[in-house]
């Protein structure tokens, strides 16, 4: 038998569904829906239930039951049709799915992929002297702060993709003392991100390109491991500052679901923060950039034949 708590939660969700649909229906005028407004004869604000049903291509009784929160079968296709009639935003559409007891669709960004608001750039710049960067859904690097250049060797001539750089950038490979331990987790996290959008060719393009460049990646990818993004510890060997211990955390921003902010923190009880303060000082940056230039000429990891 269902517990009292689950029954109560279901009842609240049905009431919320009723109130939500009624309020959304009331804000759409007949003219906005392509219907005659009926003049002063209309007593119902917005659309009538029957009008929503006709425009959505569902039965009038079925829509009435939906708005009443009855225990009926609903499908994503029907909810999407209702959402279009009620002119729901992306967040409202997801809310409708949740209230109807379905898994909500993926969040979609209202911005183009190359748009980055000034606030997000200021966020990672304010993270100094700690490294931070922003990636899109395919892990293409959108932007990074100065500490990411100084510590990890981020630079314009790199491939834009962070996964490809992880395997092919000689500067990063030389510095990442924990590279071999981290590599399986990094690959598993990329597969987890890809599994949410299996039909998206952008992910497959990255995998195909890197498979042709790195035998190490190919072998790890064939394992099929999956791991949700979260926190990892990085041990970096900087040519000027020595060993740095960093904890990297992936953050999501609801307003930009296509982007991930990767921020690094100094691991407690290490001298990493003091070293980063020195590294990102004017004198430290000059020394660090000379080290990056020297290492950039290092021999890259051998590509698969």
């Amino acid at each position: 038998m269902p517990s009292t708590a689950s029954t109560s939660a279901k009842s609240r969700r049905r009431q919320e569904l009723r109130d939500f649909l009624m309020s959304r229906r009331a804000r759409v005028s007949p003219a906005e829906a392509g219907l005659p407004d009926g003049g002063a004869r209309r007593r119902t604000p917005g659309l009538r239930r029957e009008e929503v049903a006709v425009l959505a291509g569902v039965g009038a009784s079925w829509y009435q039951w939906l708005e009443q929160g009855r225990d009926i079968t609903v499908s994503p296709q029907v909810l999407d049709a209702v959402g279009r009639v009620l002119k729901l935003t992306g967040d409202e559409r997801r809310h409708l799915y949740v209230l109807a007891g379905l898994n909500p669709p993926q969040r979609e960004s209202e911005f183009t992929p190359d748009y980055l608001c000034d606030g997000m750039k200021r966020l990672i710049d304010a993270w100094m002297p700690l490294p931070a960067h922003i990636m899109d859904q395919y892990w293409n690097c959108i932007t990074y702060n100065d500490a990411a250049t100084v510590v990890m060797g981020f630079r314009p001539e790199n491939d834009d993709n962070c996964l490809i750089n992880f395997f092919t950038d000689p500067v990063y490979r030389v510095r990442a003392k924990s590279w071999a331990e981290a590599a399986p987790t990094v690959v598993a996290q990329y597969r987890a991100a890809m599994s949410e959008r299996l039909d998206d060719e952008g992910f497959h393009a990255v995998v195909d390109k890197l498979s042709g460049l790195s035998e190490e990646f190919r072998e790890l990818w064939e394992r099929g491991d999956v791991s949700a993004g979260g926190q990892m510890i990085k041990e970096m060997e900087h040519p000027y500052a020595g060993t740095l211990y960093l904890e990297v955390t992936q953050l999501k921003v609801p307003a930009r679901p296509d982007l991930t902010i990767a921020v690094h923190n100094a691991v407690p009880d290490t001298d990493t923060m003091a070293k980063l303060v020195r590294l990102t000082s004017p004198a430290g940056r000059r020394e660090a950039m000379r080290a990056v230039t020297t290492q950039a000429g290092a021999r890259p990891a051998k590509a698969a034949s």
Side-chain angles (χ1 to χ4, degrees):
M1 286 182 63
S3 67
T4 302
S6 64
T7 300
S8 177
K10 191 172 185 179
S11 176
R12 286 196 300 270
R13 193 172 70 236
R14 289 178 176 177
Q15 180 62 43
E16 178 68 17
L17 175 61
R18 175 180 180 276
D19 294 343
F20 180 67
L21 286 174
M22 288 180 64
S23 68
R24 300 308 92 174
R25 178 164 57 84
R27 73 179 184 178
V28 180
S29 69
E32 290 174 322
L35 298 173
D37 61 16
R41 294 192 302 275
R42 292 189 70 95
R43 293 180 298 174
T44 303
L47 296 175
R48 299 187 179 98
R49 288 196 187 100
E50 296 79 7
E51 292 169 335
V52 174
V54 169
L55 292 170
V58 299
S61 295
W62 184 92
Y63 180 77
Q64 180 177 347
W65 294 338
L66 174 69
E67 195 170 287
Q68 291 172 345
R70 294 198 190 184
D71 191 9
I72 59 175
T73 301
V74 295
S75 68
Q77 293 78 11
V78 171
L79 288 185
D80 286 345
V82 171
R84 284 193 295 271
V85 173
L86 299 181
K87 302 187 181 302
L88 300 186
T89 66
D91 288 339
E92 289 172 336
R93 177 170 166 253
R94 287 174 55 84
H95 186 56
L96 176 61
Y97 269 66
V98 172
L99 295 178
L102 297 182
N103 291 327
Q106 292 281 341
R107 289 187 180 275
E108 299 291 344
S109 174
E110 60 182 290
F111 302 101
T112 57
D114 58 350
Y115 172 78
L116 184 71
C117 69
D118 292 340
M120 294 185 74
K121 184 63 170 68
R122 285 194 296 269
L123 174 64
I124 64 170
D125 286 341
W127 201 252
M128 293 284 292
L130 295 158
H133 63 279
I134 300 176
M135 306 180 294
D136 70 9
Q137 59 192 354
Y138 310 119
W139 292 17
N140 294 317
C141 188
I142 305 300
T143 189
Y144 47 87
N145 65 9
D146 289 343
T149 295
V150 172
V151 174
M152 294 176 290
F154 281 36
R155 53 203 189 279
E157 61 267 29
N158 274 14
D159 190 290
D160 289 338
N161 189 269
C162 292
L163 181 66
I164 293 176
N165 277 332
F166 182 87
F167 281 89
T168 63
D169 178 25
V171 172
Y172 188 85
R173 290 289 296 261
V174 167
R175 295 186 181 188
K177 292 183 66 175
S178 55
W179 188 94
E181 292 77 14
T185 301
V186 170
V187 174
Q189 288 178 352
Y190 195 78
R191 185 182 288 277
M194 179 177 174
S195 68
E196 298 177 2
R197 300 175 180 269
L198 281 177
D199 295 332
D200 192 326
E201 290 300 322
F203 287 102
H204 296 280
V206 173
V207 172
D208 291 345
K209 179 177 180 179
L210 187 50
S211 295
L213 295 173
S214 171
E215 183 177 352
E216 292 164 309
F217 169 77
R218 229 174 23 245
E219 291 174 353
L220 290 172
W221 187 256
E222 289 171 358
R223 293 184 187 179
D225 295 340
V226 178
S227 176
Q231 291 185 324
M232 290 177 59
I233 300 296
K234 288 181 179 179
E235 186 177 353
M236 306 293 292
E237 188 64 30
H238 193 276
Y240 175 59
T243 304
L244 303 170
Y245 299 92
L246 297 165
E247 182 182 65
V248 58
T249 304
Q250 295 181 5
L251 305 175
K252 301 296 290 187
V253 179
R256 289 302 305 268
D258 56 323
L259 299 183
T260 298
I261 304 175
V263 294
H264 296 71
N265 266 320
V267 173
D269 301 322
T270 69
D271 59 355
T272 297
M273 179 57 84
K275 289 180 176 179
L276 288 172
V277 171
R278 292 199 303 272
L279 269 176
T280 55
S281 68
R285 290 189 193 189
R286 287 193 294 270
E287 292 293 333
M289 287 308 296
R290 280 198 288 271
V292 168
T293 303
T294 300
Q295 281 194 348
R299 181 176 296 177
K302 183 178 180 182
S305 58

